[in-house]
């Protein structure tokens, strides 16, 4: 099991309840695939460094989790499919 960090940016135009449901959906995906969610930080709305799809703001979420080495690929696939996720980055944390 490796430790990973996921940072993703959600479209800031989403309603609060829909955004909360989306964050919970990704946490459920992690736990259903054998990962353990260690920490979730919602950084909130922030200005983007450059416009993405003509949008200047995004809602940032940082998740630290422990999972098997093959799980990040499945997580990235699900993040890429979702149209409300503007950008994402999964990195492995060295111990």
């Amino acid at each position: 099991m490796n430790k990973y960090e996921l940072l993703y940016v959600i479209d800031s135009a989403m309603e609060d309840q829909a955004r909360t449901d989306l964050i919970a959906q990704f946490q459920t995906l992690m736990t259903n695939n054998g990962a353990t969610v260690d920490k979730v930080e919602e950084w909130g709305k922030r200005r983007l460094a450059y416009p993405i799809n003509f949008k200047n703001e995004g809602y940032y979420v940082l998740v630290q989790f422990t999972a098997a080495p093959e799980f990040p690929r499945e997580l990235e696939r699900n993040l890429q499919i979702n149209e409300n996720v503007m950008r994402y980055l999964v990195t492995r944390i060295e111990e």
Side-chain angles (χ1 to χ4, degrees):
M1 299 293 265
N2 297 325
K3 289 191 176 286
Y4 295 95
E5 192 170 75
L6 164 66
L7 178 68
Y8 59 103
V9 182
I10 301 172
D11 186 0
S12 63
M14 283 184 75
E15 294 180 11
D16 292 338
Q17 184 60 41
R19 182 174 44 242
T20 305
D21 292 343
L22 182 65
I23 294 169
Q25 174 187 347
F26 287 125
Q27 288 179 4
T28 304
L29 175 70
M30 290 177 192
T31 55
N32 287 346
N33 284 290
T36 57
V37 178
D38 302 325
K39 185 173 168 184
V40 177
E41 291 181 24
E42 294 186 33
W43 291 355
K45 276 188 189 178
R46 298 202 177 197
R47 186 164 176 78
L48 300 172
Y50 55 89
I52 300 173
N53 298 332
F54 305 103
K55 297 179 186 196
N56 294 319
E57 283 189 337
Y59 191 89
Y60 285 71
V61 180
L62 177 72
V63 180
Q64 292 179 354
F65 64 97
T66 307
E70 54 277 345
F71 174 67
R73 178 172 281 155
E74 175 66 18
L75 180 60
E76 287 177 344
R77 185 184 71 79
N78 282 282
L79 287 162
Q80 190 172 8
I81 290 171
N82 195 311
E83 70 264 355
N84 292 315
V85 177
M86 297 165 53
R87 291 286 188 270
Y88 61 89
L89 180 66
V90 178
T91 54
R92 183 170 166 246
I93 299 174
E94 295 290 331
E95 295 185 26

